[in-house]
Amino acid sequence: MKTNTNNLKKEVYSLMSIRFDSVSFTYGETVIFKDLSFCFEQGTTYVLLGESGIGKSTLLSLIKGLQRPQSGTITYQGCSPDNIEVVFQELHLFPWQTVYQALEMPLLINQTPSESRKKRVTSCLAELGLTQVQDRYPHQLSGGQKQRAAMGRGLITQPDVLLLDEPTASLDQETKANAQAMIAAQQQRRQNSLIVVTHDPEEAVFLGQTILLLKDQDVTPISNPFYGSQQERDSLAFYEVVLQLKEQMREARQ
């Protein structure tokens, strides 16, 4: 009998999830989340959209297990916080490491054998267009190259879930568009879960399969009709959705 590998992949992914059940979290007297319930499914791209200070980065910290909720539960099925990687907005590239060394470091920590390390780093550098700058240090890189190096360091361990905190916030418009295309292409290639934090509605519509609008100490899931479209930014309807999200963000502030 012939096995349908696509169905098998979907079955495996359906067994992998991160589930929030009635999660509440506060900073001092400030309530960030109250009775938040949501399930992050494997192989899906989520974008957390909201204004600064509303709790987007806090939600990433809860997913990774860097912080614990005051009440409620977070359940990991088929994955664990150990196999969730975070790329922070500040990128955290060490000034004394070359691009090659930055990508190799997580594999060294995991005690990956030398030959396997070399193959995986070389392959990842090629995928991200960093081979020509692999011996350069952070101060010798452009903004886009730094972003790709940080992304590569997050991808090199082949995580079940990759968390990106404002991945394009410091980039100019052209570099930002290129970085967004690279992020989307890598998710399509690897089919891991991707959770992106942004305050930019246009980025949310470009990247998000499901957009999670943060408001009222909760998340409102919005299915994105433009996810996966090759010419989405050429469509007037694309920008109509962007404007709708901007309006919803304004309402959330009130």
Side-chain angles (χ1 to χ4, degrees):
M1 179 186 293
K2 198 172 194 179
T3 302
N4 188 322
T5 55
N6 287 333
N7 287 341
L8 282 177
K9 183 180 286 189
K10 289 177 182 177
E11 183 178 344
V12 171
Y13 284 165
S14 69
L15 297 175
M16 303 173 75
S17 64
I18 303 171
R19 182 178 296 277
F20 281 57
D21 290 303
S22 300
V23 167
S24 295
F25 185 87
T26 62
Y27 277 128
E29 299 298 318
T30 304
V31 178
I32 307 300
F33 296 110
K34 184 176 180 181
D35 295 327
L36 169 62
S37 295
F38 187 79
C39 185
F40 294 91
E41 299 287 352
Q42 177 67 15
T44 301
T45 297
Y46 300 92
V47 173
L48 308 180
L49 177 65
E51 300 290 345
S52 297
I54 202 167
K56 302 185 299 297
S57 296
T58 299
L59 188 52
L60 289 193
S61 294
L62 289 168
I63 292 169
K64 173 60 179 170
L66 300 176
Q67 299 189 84
R68 304 290 183 187
Q70 275 81 24
S71 63
T73 59
I74 302 174
T75 306
Y76 301 86
Q77 181 173 337
C79 63
S80 77
D82 291 337
N83 204 27
I84 297 173
E85 295 291 344
V86 187
V87 178
F88 294 100
Q89 183 177 352
E90 295 82 6
L91 301 182
H92 297 307
L93 296 173
F94 296 119
W96 59 85
Q97 283 186 331
T98 64
V99 172
Y100 187 100
Q101 291 168 336
L103 269 64
E104 185 183 35
M105 183 177 66
L107 301 180
L108 286 168
I109 293 171
N110 291 347
Q111 299 182 328
T112 304
S114 174
E115 191 60 31
S116 179
R117 282 202 316 271
K118 183 177 179 180
K119 287 181 180 178
R120 286 168 66 175
V121 173
T122 301
S123 175
C124 193
L125 288 167
E127 282 182 36
L128 298 176
L130 293 170
T131 303
Q132 299 302 316
V133 298
Q134 64 178 342
D135 295 323
R136 294 184 186 177
Y137 294 91
H139 74 275
Q140 299 172 310
L141 303 175
S142 68
Q145 289 167 340
K146 289 178 184 178
Q147 181 61 50
R148 280 180 279 152
M151 180 97 169
R153 191 179 56 191
L155 289 169
I156 197 72
T157 58
Q158 300 172 339
D160 291 326
V161 184
L162 181 64
L163 312 177
L164 302 180
D165 190 1
E166 298 278 7
T168 68
S170 62
L171 303 178
D172 63 72
Q173 196 60 40
E174 182 178 357
T175 307
K176 175 183 283 194
N178 291 336
Q180 290 167 349
M182 179 270 294
I183 290 168
Q186 286 297 316
Q187 197 283 332
Q188 288 295 311
R189 177 184 176 85
R190 296 167 185 270
Q191 291 295 301
N192 58 341
S193 292
L194 178 64
I195 304 175
V196 181
V197 159
T198 187
H199 61 270
D200 179 357
E202 184 176 334
E203 181 165 82
V205 180
F206 184 82
L207 288 176
Q209 185 173 355
T210 297
I211 299 167
L212 299 178
L213 182 65
L214 276 69
K215 64 177 183 178
D216 301 327
Q217 299 145 6
D218 203 347
V219 297
T220 299
I222 302 169
S223 182
N224 181 8
F226 290 96
Y227 179 75
S229 170
Q230 296 299 310
Q231 305 297 327
E232 50 195 6
R233 278 182 165 135
D234 295 334
S235 165
L236 178 60
F238 173 89
Y239 290 99
E240 289 175 347
V241 174
V242 171
L243 290 173
Q244 290 170 12
L245 285 176
K246 286 183 177 179
E247 179 59 30
Q248 289 177 283
M249 289 174 68
R250 280 194 290 270
E251 292 174 356
R253 289 198 299 266
Q254 298 172 358

